[in-house]
Amino acid sequence: MRGRRLEIASALHCGVPKPALATQIIIETGITILLATAISLPIDMTAARLLIDTTDRTAITLNAIQTTITTNTAYLLATTITALHIKERHLFTYFKER
C-alpha cells in the first residue's frame, strides 16, 4: 500500500481529479474481485458437492455465496475509501518514507 499511496498522491499532484482516480481504483479493484471470485467459486461449489450431504448443500452454498459477496463489497469499499483519504499534500511524506 505504501507504493500505491505514493502513486495516488503523485497523480493528484499532476492534476488528476479525485473522481477519475476513484473510478480507476474501483475498476482495478473490481477486476481483482472478479478474478478471485472466478477462481474460488468453482472450488467452493465442487467441495460443497463432494463433501456435504444433499440436504445441507443448498444452505451451505447460499452461505458461502453470501460470505463472498460481503467480503467483496467490504474490499471494494475499503479500497475506495482509503484511496480517497490520500491527500496531495502528503506526497513528500510518502516519498521520504519510501
Side-chain angles (χ1 to χ4, degrees), residues 35-52:
L35 289 174
T37 304
I39 292 170
S40 66
L41 204 57
I43 295 170
D44 292 343
M45 295 301 175
T46 304
R49 187 168 24 99
L50 295 175
L51 302 174
I52 300 168

Side-chain angles (χ1 to χ4, degrees), residues 13-82:
H13 184 71
C14 291
V16 176
K18 272 205 174 187
L21 196 58
T23 303
Q24 173 189 347
I25 290 168
I26 288 170
I27 291 170
E28 290 173 358
T29 305
I31 291 170
T32 304
I33 288 171
L34 287 175
L35 289 174
T37 304
I39 292 170
S40 66
L41 204 57
I43 295 170
D44 292 343
M45 295 301 175
T46 304
R49 187 168 24 99
L50 295 175
L51 302 174
I52 300 168
D53 291 338
T54 307
T55 56
D56 295 335
R57 189 177 301 154
T58 304
I60 291 174
T61 302
L62 291 175
N63 192 14
I65 291 171
Q66 179 184 6
T67 303
T68 302
I69 290 171
T70 304
T71 305
N72 291 344
T73 304
Y75 176 56
L76 182 65
L77 288 174
T79 304
T80 305
I81 290 170
T82 302

